[in-house]
């Protein structure tokens, strides 16, 4: 298959910095679009993966899965897009399209194995897929989203992973009027969860380990913000219907299971590498649910983008140049980001 050689940023080893490199994109297939990448967010999953914290990283790795851009080319059978349209790609770039989960719009759980936008087996070129820290992306139009034109493009990029990852469970477990929703961690996912749960009509309580974020949480729309190290405040906390755990590191979930109402659900979306111990009595008493959720399907991602446009929701971002990416990863590791780094991809041209 013919390929196009393009510029990207990636790394060859878990202990090496990212640097400029060249990668190949496949030539356009009949249903493919080529997108010129304008902005790409930096998710904590990019950090887990470049550091090989889950053990499955294939090097070289080019991360990036919160991708916003403009259509630069279309295959002969493409119907959803034309050259010049705004477009976005998130975590999913291929799936079997035939299994029960694909048919239900749950491509992330495809029986045949979903293809993620980076570090997933590449069915066309072999090796693994390369993500959005690059000039262009090529994939089947089915997995490409329309970006509502009212959204700020750079600030909308984090919606493609952080946004859908919190929207999907909040909707599934019916966050809305009359429900008390707890959000654990105010990072990329957590700060969007505050905005989205609030827009769904829920009463939102945020739990943070960072004293400096307490006021921010209220400004982002939370009804209550609790410093989790303050045991008195934790004791006074009223019970919650749903808790969304967006924490990237080990955390004692039993403390939060105890804050659920009877039949309440704690949904894990954070991906700490270590196992999470759950005490039997913490879920048996109160018929509680300890659940998980993984991103969201393509149709739901489009629904989330449209919901965010209706409610004027985007991420609070720090826009950086590609050349600052290693510093950004260091700061993300140290929990020093308010609240998402987004790379202005025009800066890649200067390399
Ligand atoms: P992030 O911006 O780094 O936010 C994580 C937050 O967790 C931090 O802001 C911090 O909030 C809290 N935190 C960090 N270290 C902590 C510690 N040692 N103890 C307690 N709290 C701590 O990361 P993100 O991009 O939002 O991603 C969050 C997690 O979700 C990551 O593990 C990521 O891989 C995962 N993720 C999962 C999915 C999925 O589909 N399931 C999708 C995307 C990302 P405070 O300062 O407020 O305490
Ligand atoms: Zn992500
Ligand atoms: Zn499938």
């Amino acid at each position: 298959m013919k390929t196009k050689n393009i510029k990207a940023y990636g790394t060859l080893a878990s202990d090496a910095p990212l640097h400029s490199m060249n990668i190949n994109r496949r030539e356009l297939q009949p249903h493919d679009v080529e997108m010129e990448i304008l902005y790409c967010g930096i998710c904590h999953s990019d950090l887990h993966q470049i550091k090989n914290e889950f053990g499955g990283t294939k090097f070289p790795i080019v991360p990036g899965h919160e991708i916003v851009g403009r259509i630069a080319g279309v295959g002969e059978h493409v119907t959803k897009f034309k050259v010049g349209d705004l477009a976005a790609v998130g975590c999913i770039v291929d799936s079997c399209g035939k299994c029960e989960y694909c048919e239900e719009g749950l491509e992330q759980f495809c029986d045949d194995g979903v293809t993620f936008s980076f570090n997933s087996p590449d069915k066309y070129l072999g090796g693994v897929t390369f993500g959005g820290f690059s000039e262009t992306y090529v994939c089947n139009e089915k997995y490409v989203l329309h970006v509502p034109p009212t959204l700020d493009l750079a600030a909308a990029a984090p919606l493609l992973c952080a946004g859908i990852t919190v929207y999907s469970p909040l909707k599934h477990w019916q966050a809305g009027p009359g429900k008390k929703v707890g959000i654990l961690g105010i990072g990329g996912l957590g700060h969007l969860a505050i905005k989205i749960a609030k827009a769904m009509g829920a009463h939102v309580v945020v739990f943070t380990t960072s004293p400096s974020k307490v006021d921010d949480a209220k400004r982002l729309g939370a009804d209550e913000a609790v410093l989790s190290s303050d045991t008195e405040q934790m004791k006074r906390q009223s019970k919650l219907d749903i808790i969304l755990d967006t924490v990237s590191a080990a955390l004692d979930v039993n403390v939060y299971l105890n804050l659920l109402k009877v039949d309440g659900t704690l949904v894990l979306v954070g991906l700490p590498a270590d196992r999470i111990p759950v005490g039997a009595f913490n879920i048996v008493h109160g018929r509680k649910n300890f659940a998980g959720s993984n991103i969201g399907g393509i149709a739901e991602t489009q629904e989330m983008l449209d919901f965010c446009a209706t409610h004027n929701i985007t991420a609070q971002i720090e826009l950086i140049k590609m050349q600052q990416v290693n510093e950004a990863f260091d700061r993300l590791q140290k929990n020093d980001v308010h609240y998402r780094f987004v790379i202005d991809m025009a800066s890649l041209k200067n390399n």
Side-chain angles (χ1 to χ4, degrees):
M1 180 179 289
K2 275 200 209 148
T3 56
K4 198 185 211 178
N5 198 250
I6 60 157
K7 283 183 185 177
Y9 243 69
T11 181
L12 299 169
S14 60
D15 55 357
L18 276 77
H19 58 86
S20 177
M21 56 172 65
N22 278 54
I23 58 167
N24 290 328
R25 293 288 183 210
R26 67 177 182 252
E27 68 176 341
L28 283 183
Q29 303 300 297
H31 291 281
D32 280 350
V33 296
E34 179 189 27
M35 194 171 109
E36 180 204 355
I37 302 178
L38 299 175
Y39 299 102
C40 188
I42 303 181
C43 174
H44 207 113
S45 298
D46 293 314
L47 179 59
H48 289 309
Q49 297 260 28
I50 61 169
K51 298 287 177 208
N52 196 15
E53 287 173 13
F54 305 138
T57 303
K58 301 270 186 303
F59 293 96
I61 180 172
V62 173
H65 56 280
E66 294 182 334
I67 308 166
V68 168
R70 206 174 274 288
I71 299 294
V74 293
E76 54 186 317
H77 295 325
V78 167
T79 55
K80 259 173 80 178
F81 295 94
K82 57 181 187 333
V83 170
D85 285 352
L86 293 176
V89 170
C91 307
I92 302 173
V93 292
D94 209 353
S95 66
C96 83
K98 297 189 291 260
C99 73
E100 60 177 307
Y101 302 113
C102 283
E103 286 200 340
E104 264 186 79
L106 295 170
E107 297 90 349
Q108 71 272 35
F109 305 130
C110 175
D111 262 342
D112 210 34
V114 58
T115 304
F116 291 116
S117 35
F118 77 107
N119 200 43
S120 244
D122 186 328
K123 291 180 191 161
Y124 293 84
L125 298 182
V128 292
T129 51
F130 293 123
F133 289 12
S134 55
E135 285 178 289
T136 61
Y137 207 93
V138 173
C139 74
N140 187 306
E141 62 168 339
K142 247 169 84 175
Y143 304 94
V144 182
L145 292 311
H146 289 284
V147 182
T150 53
L151 292 177
D152 177 88
L153 276 190
L159 298 176
L160 275 303
C161 174
I164 183 60
T165 299
V166 299
Y167 178 89
S168 183
L170 287 170
K171 187 175 169 206
H172 184 82
W173 277 279
Q174 296 168 358
K179 293 281 178 71
K180 271 198 168 183
V181 175
I183 310 287
L184 309 189
I186 315 178
L189 268 57
H191 92 290
L192 282 170
I194 298 173
K195 296 186 185 194
I196 291 173
K198 210 47 214 161
M200 288 175 171
H203 179 95
V204 177
V205 185
V206 181
F207 297 85
T208 178
T209 60
S210 307
S212 64
K213 294 184 187 172
V214 170
D215 287 341
D216 263 7
K218 301 242 176 83
R219 198 178 44 73
L220 288 163
D223 297 285
E224 301 172 53
V226 179
L227 189 60
S228 51
S229 55
D230 182 339
T231 40
E232 283 310 309
Q233 227 183 338
M234 290 293 280
K235 267 191 224 149
R236 282 200 307 273
Q237 182 53 51
S238 62
K239 297 279 159 114
L240 302 156
D241 297 280
I242 307 159
I243 297 178
L244 191 61
D245 177 355
T246 77
V247 173
S248 52
L251 165 100
D252 184 6
V253 291
N254 298 291
V255 171
Y256 295 96
L257 288 167
N258 290 343
L259 290 182
L260 285 172
K261 289 183 186 172
V262 171
D263 283 330
T265 302
L266 189 151
V267 190
L268 183 69
V269 290
L271 295 169
D274 294 330
R275 284 172 183 242
I276 297 175
V278 174
F281 289 99
N282 299 98
I283 50 171
V284 166
H285 182 74
R287 202 164 53 191
K288 291 168 185 170
N289 305 290
F290 181 52
S293 186
N294 196 24
I295 49 173
I298 295 299
E300 194 174 41
T301 304
Q302 188 62 60
E303 176 188 305
M304 175 277 308
L305 287 170
D306 297 340
F307 176 93
C308 288
T310 303
H311 295 276
N312 201 19
I313 293 173
T314 51
Q316 182 174 321
I317 65 163
E318 205 174 313
L319 193 64
I320 61 163
K321 293 188 176 24
M322 197 42 135
Q323 295 74 8
Q324 296 169 284
V325 75
N326 289 304
E327 188 192 326
F329 274 121
D330 286 347
R331 283 184 50 199
L332 186 58
Q333 182 104 57
K334 292 183 197 135
N335 193 12
D336 175 23
V337 48
H338 296 84
Y339 282 95
R340 198 58 140 190
F341 288 115
V342 172
I343 307 166
D344 181 351
M345 296 304 300
S347 57
L348 186 57
K349 295 194 171 67
N350 304 331
N351 263 98

